[in-house]
Amino acid sequence: MDKREQQSNLSPTEVEDRIWELANEIDICMFVTWDGEYNRARPLSARVHRDENAIYFLVNDDSPKNEQLASYPKVTMAWADTGRYKFVTVSGHAMVSNDREKIAKLWEKTDEAWWDNAQDPDIRLITVTPDEGELWDSPGRFVAAAKMALAAVTGTKPDFGDNAKVDL
């Protein structure tokens, strides 16, 4: 870990706990894949299941991301709560499946915006097994603004809260 970039008084276990907590709270993440030439990002609703060491996504069968994952299974997910200055990234390996039982267990009422029901044959499941995560956990917008103002007056660098990386 590069200490110049990372600063936190949290233990690695506390960082890991906070990463899982924020990913679950924020829900929508930018799901980033590689197509062989470019990174591709799109917003997806994450089903965060720490007890299974997995993050799940329901997607369409014909999505280009499914083909990208077949060739390049390494992904990054980025969550941002800009109102509270809370940010998380998680990287890991993704796999697309047609696990109908798991799809049914993960189904939520909001999924009806895209599919009729959990039995829709066009739904696929992306399962991500996390490898590492990084956290930027600020005390909030107003505190961050006050710290920037204080730093400008005193000529010091502002402390924006915790930034730490851990293996998951």
Side-chain angles (χ1 to χ4, degrees):
M1 175 179 349
D2 184 344
K3 294 291 183 186
R4 291 171 297 161
E5 292 181 18
Q6 318 265 323
Q7 70 179 62
S8 176
N9 293 324
L10 300 175
S11 72
T13 300
E14 290 171 319
V15 172
E16 184 176 346
D17 291 346
R18 191 69 175 135
I19 286 170
W20 284 101
E21 178 185 341
L22 286 172
N24 187 54
E25 281 178 14
I26 298 170
D27 178 32
I28 303 295
C29 72
M30 293 304 292
F31 186 87
V32 183
T33 58
W34 174 253
D35 69 5
E37 187 175 357
Y38 292 102
N39 288 311
R40 302 293 179 186
R42 75 280 291 156
L44 291 177
S45 177
R47 315 294 162 85
V48 178
H49 288 256
R50 183 179 186 176
D51 58 324
E52 299 173 22
N53 193 41
I55 302 169
Y56 300 103
F57 300 89
L58 299 183
V59 298
N60 284 322
D61 179 40
D62 62 354
S63 172
K65 74 180 122 330
N66 301 352
E67 291 178 29
Q68 294 160 6
L69 293 173
S71 297
Y72 308 100
K74 188 79 169 167
V75 298
T76 297
M77 298 153 291
W79 289 265
D81 180 341
T82 58
R84 297 187 308 150
Y85 276 36
K86 312 259 181 227
F87 307 92
V88 169
T89 62
V90 173
S91 296
H93 287 83
M95 179 184 73
V96 180
S97 72
N98 191 18
D99 183 339
R100 304 314 301 176
E101 183 178 330
K102 191 66 172 180
I103 290 168
K105 285 181 182 176
L106 293 170
W107 182 262
E108 296 176 358
K109 181 75 174 157
T110 56
D111 296 325
E112 291 178 7
W114 290 272
W115 305 284
D116 291 333
N117 55 54
Q119 290 72 43
D120 189 314
D122 293 332
I123 302 172
R124 291 298 177 269
L125 175 68
I126 295 175
T127 302
V128 178
T129 304
D131 293 328
E132 66 178 22
E134 190 164 0
L135 166 73
W136 296 265
D137 195 0
S138 162
R141 179 177 295 198
F142 296 113
V143 173
K147 286 184 177 196
M148 286 189 332
L150 179 63
V153 170
T154 62
T156 61
K157 294 195 184 272
D159 174 8
F160 287 114
D162 293 306
N163 172 229
K165 187 185 298 184
V166 294
D167 291 334
L168 299 173

